[in-house]
Every structure is written in structure tokens, then in C-alpha cells.
Amino acid sequence: MRLATWNVNSIRTRADRVVDWLERADVDVLAMQETKCTDAQFPMMPFAALGYEVAHVGLNQWNGVAIASRVGLDDIEIGFPGQPVWGGSPGKDPAEATAEARALGATCGGVRVWSLYVPNGRTLADPHYAYKLDWLAALRDTAAGWLKEDPERPIALVGDWNIAPKDEDVWDMAAFHGRTHVSEPERAAFQAMHEAQFTDVVRPFTEGPGIYTYWDYTQLAFQKRRGMRIDFILGSPGLASRVTHAEIVKDERRPKKGTTAPSDHAPVVVELS
């Protein structure tokens, strides 16, 4: 099985690029983030034409996650148990807090896949930062519970984690001083997933500085190699033992003549025996 994750940064804008890559890459399951559309707006037909079933949850032009699979799509679950809700800014009525479209699970070819779009955090002083840490803690606790119930279950937690766990995962640590994505609490939250037995199954195949999954659109960041590694596939022991190869498909971040602009993220792929 070939399993991939990709923050597509608007599926309606980039459906042609995503579907074209799916066909060329021979991917069996693709988890997508930042689809930026409602369920009714998701372009299902191009995926169906290639033999993919699609599960999607999206509420508006923000967030949104999806899973496209050609090896089955069963036990679909919107949100994980205990997922925090976002109450918005200080002073907002707590009753208006909502569970955002940031997590979607499905069983594909015997593998439990979760497409995850971790909150950004915005700034270290923003309420969204506390929300991000709460969200990650809840995910860790819930995922640990899944393994307690079935230690051998192959589970893939995949997506845009909005965390660069190591200094080498950003182009210049000095440029990120006092900012989110590299703060110690965020990195500790990511490490807590490892302690819950969910390991980064891509890094062993893509080790080293200067290997990124995201490049901002501004200031020629891609051309200047000013990126971040923030997209990951974390696997349970039952999944990690089956990984035979992994790659970050950097070429899909490049502009291509005659197509729409690329996402600011690149696909991340693993192969499972």
C-alpha cells in the first residue's frame, strides 16, 4: 500500500494537480488537509473517475480534511474522542465554541488512517496557541487509548502538524525566535506522541538538514530553500514495522506551466509491505 498526506491548500483550486499526481504516483490512500470547502463543494467526480472513494468534512472556507482511498473506506469517523472545540477570541460566548473540521478517520485496506490538521497557534500569546496545545494533548491521550485496546493495530496519524520538532526542520532558527511551530511546549507535545508509541516513519528515509515539506509563497521561499518540515506520518508499532520506503515529493511544490499554482506544501508518502 502507498499512503500519502498532502496539505492541498484549497482542493477546489488544485483538484487538477492533486488528481494528476495521484494517477502518476500510484497512491492508494491520500489524506488531505486545508481543503477549504464544505462537503457539498468538494470535487468528488475527478477522484471517482480514478476509482477513489472520498470521505470529507468541511464546514466553510477554512480548514477541512479528507481521505481518498481505492482500497476501501470504512468506519468513517469525524473528529476524535475528546477533540477540543475552538471558542474563538476572549469574551466570545462559550456556547458558540465549535469542533473544527480538523480530524477525519477511516479504515483503508486494514489500516486506520487519520487525516489531521493541527491548529496553527498563530502567536505564543494568542488563545489559539493554548487551543493547539490542548488539541495535541487530547489527540495523544486518545491515540494512546487506541493502542491500549489493540497494541497491534496499524494506525497512521498523518497530516499537517504545524510543528517543526527539530532545529534542522526550519531553514533558520534565528528567524523563528519567539514564534510558534518551534516553541518548547509544541515540541514537547510532538515528542509526547512518540512516547505514546507513534513514531515518525518518514524521517529515517529522509534524514538531514534542508529537507522540508512547506515553503511560504512569499519572498521566493521555495527558490531560496527557506522551508519547514511540518507534515508528518506517525505510525503505531503495527504500522511502523511495515514501512519499507518513504519520500517527500518536493517537485509537486514547483510551479508547472499550464497548471494551477502549487500548494505551499509537498506530498509525503510511505510504502507499506
Side-chain angles (χ1 to χ4, degrees):
M1 178 190 294
R2 282 174 60 83
L3 166 65
T5 182
W6 195 358
N7 179 320
V8 296
N9 191 15
S10 179
I11 188 61
R12 288 182 292 170
T13 300
R14 277 170 262 282
D16 58 339
R17 289 190 65 123
V18 173
V19 171
D20 174 68
W21 178 74
L22 272 178
E23 189 168 21
R24 289 184 286 108
D26 195 29
V27 166
D28 297 300
V29 181
L30 173 63
M32 292 169 272
Q33 302 84 42
E34 271 202 285
T35 56
K36 295 184 177 180
C37 65
T38 65
D39 293 347
Q41 294 170 327
F42 191 96
M44 296 286 185
M45 292 304 294
F47 290 88
L50 287 183
Y52 290 89
E53 299 177 83
V54 178
H56 175 262
V57 56
L59 306 176
N60 47 41
Q61 73 273 28
W62 309 111
N63 309 320
V65 284
I67 299 173
S69 171
R70 63 183 186 184
V71 292
L73 194 67
D74 303 310
D75 304 321
I76 297 168
E77 189 174 357
I78 297 173
F80 56 85
Q83 179 179 328
V85 298
W86 169 236
S89 57
K92 184 175 180 179
D93 184 351
E96 296 180 19
T98 58
E100 297 183 300
R102 292 184 176 274
L104 180 69
T107 300
C108 309
V111 175
R112 188 63 177 169
V113 178
W114 279 90
S115 181
L116 304 170
Y117 181 41
V118 175
N120 179 283
R122 301 176 183 170
T123 71
L124 299 183
D126 194 287
H128 209 257
Y129 180 73
Y131 167 58
K132 177 180 189 175
L133 296 177
D134 290 344
W135 203 95
L136 288 162
L139 175 62
R140 176 203 62 215
D141 291 346
T142 298
W146 293 330
L147 285 187
K148 187 175 181 180
E149 294 174 0
D150 184 357
E152 302 302 319
R153 190 178 191 186
I155 304 172
L157 307 179
V158 313
D160 179 355
W161 291 76
N162 272 315
I163 298 172
K166 297 184 177 183
D167 288 357
E168 67 185 40
D169 294 338
V170 297
W171 66 275
D172 182 2
M173 275 297 294
F176 288 86
H177 179 71
R179 295 172 59 185
T180 60
H181 292 60
V182 300
S183 71
E184 286 305 314
E186 290 168 288
R187 288 182 167 181
F190 192 86
Q191 179 59 32
M193 298 303 304
H194 288 261
E195 293 166 359
Q197 299 187 68
F198 287 87
T199 58
D200 181 350
V201 297
V202 176
R203 195 181 293 270
F205 298 89
T206 58
E207 190 63 75
I211 299 176
Y212 308 128
T213 64
Y214 164 85
W215 301 259
D216 193 86
Y217 286 127
T218 63
Q219 299 180 340
L220 298 175
F222 183 74
Q223 292 82 347
K224 294 179 180 178
R225 301 179 182 178
R226 296 179 175 178
M228 306 173 67
R229 186 197 284 246
I230 57 175
D231 301 86
F232 298 95
I233 296 176
L234 303 189
S236 66
L239 182 124
S241 63
R242 294 173 52 186
V243 176
T244 59
H245 178 71
E247 61 184 305
I248 297 166
V249 191
K250 184 178 177 180
D251 279 352
E252 290 306 311
R253 176 59 178 83
R254 302 181 189 278
K256 295 181 181 180
K257 188 175 181 179
T259 66
T260 54
S263 169
D264 43 6
H265 294 250
V268 179
V269 185
V270 295
E271 294 182 8
L272 307 177
S273 62

